[in-house]
Amino acid sequence: MERLAGTSQAMTIAGLNLIQQALSIYDSDLKLVVANARFREMFLIPDPLMQPGADFAETIRFLIDRGEYGDMPEDEIAAFIQERVDRALAFEPHYFERQRADGRWISVEGAPLPQGGWVAVYTDITSTKRQEALLRARSEELSDQLLQHAEDLAAANRELESTVSALEEVRRQLTDSEARMRLTAEMMPAHIAHVGPDRHYTYSNRRLSAVIPGRPSNIVGMHVSDALGDSAFRAIRPYLERAFKGKASVFEFNEHPSTRRIRVAFTPDGNEGDKRGVYVLSMDITEETQTRVALQQTRRREIAAQMTSGLAHDFSNLLTIILGTQAKLHKMDLPAEARALIEATLGAARRGGTLLNRLADVTGHRAPKLVPTDMTAFIADLETLATPTLEGKARLRIENTIPNAPLMLDPAMLQDTLVNLLLNARDACGPGGDILLSAELVQETWVQLTVRDTGPGFTDEALKRALDPFFTTKGAEGSGLGLAMVYDMSKLAGGDVRVSNTTTGGQVRVRLPLRRAARASAPGLALLVEDNPDLRHLIRDMLTDMKHTVIEAASVDEARTILEQLPEIKLVLSDIMLEGDATGVDLIRDLPNDAIPSYLMTSLAQTHPLFIEGAARAPVLPKPFTAEQLDQFLHPR
């Protein structure tokens, strides 16, 4: 690398030496960067002052000593040098002509550099000046005023050429800056645009299709309604009209055709009245919303656990007393009527125990356990499990259009959810009813599972309260916790549940985030993100023993930089708690769902909100672990 840099420097100096003018470049610290041979020849500069790093003030002192600025008293030299240094530190573009001590004339043209410092070009214009003098001496026909005008015009032309060169450099810098800004805007994961007073786009960074799939990218000149489509335009129109009246706003809406959640900011531009336009910033926050909902549900679980744990403990003690007392009574010689009451009391107590278990399921902390799941095999196993329960009571039909590629899901949690829905549908149908279970992918965003029955459907009250804990339409036979558990498990995974009626009965639709499982691949470059140096080195050795090549980071910022620079990374293994404010969950959240196989590790308890949020996005390996456990975790067999 040093040899290449030296060759480049030599080639640059060789090129500068071909220029007929003298040239010097000083940096912002007034140290010489480079000067050509003509600079040395014109001012007879010695070798030490031609070397990079030579001091500007020392060069001025040398020129004074040579008489470049005429005879100068010794007591004025220091002030003269300081004045030149001050002017150089506050450098401004300039052009002037001066006569040297030896009678020759030079023009001096200077321009500042964007990174600090300046470049100066010195041109010998002695011959031009002599021609002007000769013309003045020999042209008796020309008036002194005309000659002066000609001389002034020549000087002005030279100064104009200098100004044009400076303007060209400014134009080039502005063009480069504009190109960089446009490239930056087009790389942002958001749509940035400006809408004119006529509701047509005047600027767009061509990222609309990244926010709303299926919409065009080149929308400059299009009307807002045509670019966004009917659904999105209806949602944003009231806010847009208020922005044209001068009121800024930030809001969110659901874009139904694409099932995306979108955040939009409208900012009026500086114009007034009919000339006012609006700046637009919009971004897809579907993933963010899923995470936010999951965290909200986690908090609800914590509150419910706090409220019920004490009551459940006391209630459990009471049930134990009741069961023990009734068991003693059952052994006594009591009338048949009393035995019937004892049996009823025992049945109620046992149902109370079952209710406590269901409460523990709802209020307990259970993090999702994402594993690669073959939906075809999963649905087949579910059918085998559910058929005996439904046989003779309802007919089950299954429609599965999900491709065979494995998806990252919690199969146990999903099985509990679907079995619960199938049993509810069975009870709603009654004998001879039909149940349809459909599984499909929606907009490459969701895994959608729908259970539809031919029962009477949900009542108006049930449509409003079906997902509330303890709400039931089954009377004493229902706990009111079934659909609440379905809702709870779906929200923890970042999904959603919708209850509705169809023309034939009731319907429950469950949506879970679509996360494709990474395909098994040969060992490659792995990014290890861990802030404990000793532990990082230990895990690195484990990965290298698995034939992975490892690159390390201690923070999310470092990891993001590495991911941008090394697209060949095949695996990401990150601790959840890291240096700085960002966590491993933040790092995984920024990655596309199926871009790079990503895994988390942590010493946090499974009840910790970050553990739960991380487990909804990627497999999590608890610490401590052995090399064998890590190998099985990363490469399940």
Side-chain angles (χ1 to χ4, degrees):
M1 185 64 71
E2 293 180 357
R3 180 180 178 184
L4 181 60
T7 302
S8 177
Q9 176 77 1
M11 293 176 65
T12 300
I13 294 175
L16 293 177
N17 288 340
L18 297 176
I19 299 174
Q20 296 301 312
Q21 291 93 343
L23 178 142
S24 63
I25 300 176
Y26 285 86
D27 62 19
S28 57
D29 295 325
L30 306 187
K31 302 297 183 182
L32 183 66
V33 177
V34 67
N36 65 355
R38 182 62 176 148
F39 183 68
R40 180 206 307 269
E41 297 166 359
M42 181 176 287
F43 298 107
L44 302 178
I45 304 295
D47 286 341
L49 296 180
M50 286 292 294
Q51 300 302 316
D55 187 69
F56 173 76
E58 293 181 5
T59 303
I60 296 297
R61 176 68 199 215
F62 167 77
L63 294 176
I64 292 173
D65 293 342
R66 279 201 63 254
E68 181 68 25
Y69 303 103
D71 293 333
M72 185 178 300
E74 186 65 30
D75 57 352
E76 296 179 6
I77 292 178
F80 181 83
I81 294 175
Q82 187 61 47
E83 187 268 337
R84 286 302 181 98
V85 168
D86 292 340
R87 282 169 52 189
L89 290 173
F91 196 87
E92 294 183 358
H94 61 260
Y95 175 88
F96 63 89
E97 299 173 357
R98 71 175 176 87
Q99 189 173 23
R100 302 175 64 190
D102 61 2
R104 301 187 67 83
W105 283 82
I106 59 171
S107 66
V108 183
E109 174 185 350
L113 298 174
Q115 65 272 28
W118 76 92
V119 57
V121 178
Y122 308 87
T123 305
D124 190 325
I125 58 172
T126 303
S127 60
T128 303
K129 285 294 186 179
R130 287 175 178 173
Q131 290 174 5
E132 292 173 352
L134 184 62
L135 181 63
R136 175 177 290 276
R138 296 185 179 180
S139 300
E140 298 177 356
E141 295 84 358
L142 298 177
S143 67
D144 288 344
Q145 184 178 10
L146 181 60
L147 289 172
Q148 185 62 47
H149 285 169
E151 294 172 3
D152 291 344
L153 180 60
N157 284 337
R158 291 191 292 271
E159 186 170 359
L160 181 60
E161 290 176 0
S162 172
T163 302
V164 168
S165 298
L167 290 175
E168 284 294 323
E169 176 63 18
V170 171
R171 184 190 64 80
R172 185 191 64 78
Q173 293 180 22
L174 289 175
T175 300
D176 292 345
S177 176
E178 181 183 359
R180 286 193 297 269
M181 291 184 65
R182 176 172 289 277
L183 179 60
T184 300
E186 292 180 358
M187 291 177 64
M188 292 184 64
H191 181 225
I192 303 172
H194 179 268
V195 179
D198 59 354
R199 278 54 172 178
H200 286 72
Y201 284 98
T202 62
Y203 169 79
S204 169
N205 69 339
R206 300 188 292 185
R207 295 285 291 174
L208 177 60
S209 60
V211 177
I212 307 179
R215 305 313 303 168
S217 296
N218 296 321
I219 61 174
V220 173
M222 293 181 64
H223 193 276
V224 178
S225 60
D226 296 329
L228 298 182
D230 292 339
S231 175
F233 182 66
R234 282 197 303 270
I236 65 100
R237 186 173 184 176
Y239 302 94
L240 180 62
E241 294 304 321
R242 285 200 287 270
F244 278 114
K245 295 178 182 179
K247 184 177 180 180
S249 61
V250 179
F251 62 96
E252 298 177 7
F253 73 96
N254 291 321
E255 208 284 316
H256 295 293
S258 65
T259 70
R260 300 295 178 94
R261 182 74 173 174
I262 298 171
R263 179 179 296 143
V264 182
F266 287 142
T267 304
D269 61 22
N271 296 320
E272 298 292 336
D274 295 339
K275 296 182 179 180
R276 178 181 285 127
V278 176
Y279 293 105
V280 184
L281 173 64
S282 57
M283 62 189 71
D284 181 356
I285 59 167
T286 305
E287 287 284 330
E288 176 186 331
T289 303
Q290 293 170 354
T291 301
R292 186 171 65 227
V293 170
L295 288 176
Q296 289 172 349
Q297 186 65 9
T298 300
R299 182 54 182 160
R300 292 193 189 102
R301 288 160 59 93
E302 291 174 351
I303 294 174
Q306 292 171 3
M307 293 176 61
T308 60
S309 60
L311 293 173
H313 178 268
D314 294 339
F315 189 34
S316 178
N317 289 339
L318 290 174
L319 288 176
T320 302
I321 295 171
I322 293 171
L323 288 170
T325 303
Q326 294 301 308
K328 289 182 179 180
L329 289 173
H330 194 274
K331 296 177 181 179
M332 294 181 180
D333 186 13
L334 297 173
E337 182 180 355
R339 287 185 175 278
L341 292 175
I342 292 172
E343 290 293 340
T345 305
L346 286 172
R350 293 189 186 100
R351 288 186 61 247
T354 302
L355 180 60
L356 281 178
N357 292 333
R358 301 291 292 276
L359 279 172
D361 289 339
V362 171
T363 59
H365 295 270
R366 177 188 170 187
K369 296 180 180 178
L370 302 183
V371 296
T373 304
D374 183 337
M375 288 301 293
T376 300
F378 173 84
I379 294 293
D381 291 343
L382 178 68
E383 184 177 13
T384 301
L385 178 66
T387 298
T389 306
L390 302 178
E391 192 170 358
K393 299 179 180 179
R395 292 180 296 272
L396 175 63
R397 182 163 59 92
I398 296 177
E399 295 179 356
N400 177 25
T401 61
I402 298 177
N404 290 332
L407 306 179
M408 295 300 292
L409 295 168
D410 183 333
M413 188 178 289
L414 183 57
Q415 186 180 84
D416 290 345
T417 294
L418 294 178
V419 167
N420 202 310
L421 294 181
L422 291 174
L423 294 179
N424 281 351
R426 178 203 65 185
D427 295 341
C429 285
D434 291 310
I435 301 173
L436 171 65
L437 168 61
S438 63
E440 58 187 326
L441 301 184
V442 178
Q443 294 290 334
E444 289 298 310
T445 304
W446 303 101
V447 179
Q448 180 168 292
L449 300 129
T450 306
V451 175
R452 186 179 300 126
D453 62 55
T454 56
F458 294 94
T459 65
D460 291 342
E461 183 182 15
L463 288 175
K464 295 178 182 177
R465 301 185 55 198
L467 303 178
D468 293 347
F470 306 111
F471 176 80
T472 180
T473 59
K474 299 179 182 179
E477 297 300 320
S479 66
L481 294 173
L483 284 178
M485 290 175 59
V486 170
Y487 178 80
D488 183 72
M489 289 187 289
S490 300
K491 287 297 183 181
L492 278 178
D496 194 16
V497 179
R498 289 288 182 270
V499 177
S500 62
N501 286 324
T502 68
T503 57
T504 60
Q507 172 180 284
V508 180
R509 186 199 70 200
V510 177
R511 280 182 173 178
L512 301 174
L514 172 60
R515 298 185 174 95
R516 300 185 186 277
R519 296 181 179 178
S521 59
L525 181 59
L527 171 58
L528 171 62
V529 191
E530 167 63 59
D531 59 350
N532 184 308
D534 295 334
L535 187 55
R536 187 168 65 244
H537 296 160
L538 176 64
I539 299 173
R540 178 195 60 197
D541 292 342
M542 293 181 183
L543 291 172
T544 53
D545 288 343
M546 300 173 202
K547 309 304 181 184
H548 288 287
T549 304
V550 181
I551 187 168
E552 304 170 22
S555 67
V556 172
D557 289 340
E558 288 182 10
R560 287 170 176 162
T561 300
I562 292 171
L563 286 167
E564 290 175 0
Q565 296 177 351
L566 297 176
E568 60 268 27
I569 289 176
K570 302 299 183 184
L571 180 149
V572 175
L573 174 62
S574 175
D575 193 10
I576 289 181
M577 304 303 295
L578 298 165
E579 288 181 0
D581 296 331
T583 68
V585 178
D586 297 320
L587 175 63
I588 299 299
R589 183 191 301 121
D590 293 343
L591 298 175
N593 289 341
D594 53 358
I596 303 174
S598 303
Y599 305 88
L600 293 169
M601 53 185 175
T602 187
S603 56
L604 296 174
Q606 293 191 22
T607 57
H608 195 286
L610 275 177
F611 188 106
I612 296 173
E613 183 186 356
R617 295 186 171 278
V620 181
L621 178 63
K623 295 178 179 178
F625 50 79
T626 65
E628 291 75 14
Q629 290 171 323
L630 177 61
D631 191 7
Q632 178 62 28
F633 175 68
L634 297 178
H635 314 103
R637 297 169 180 82

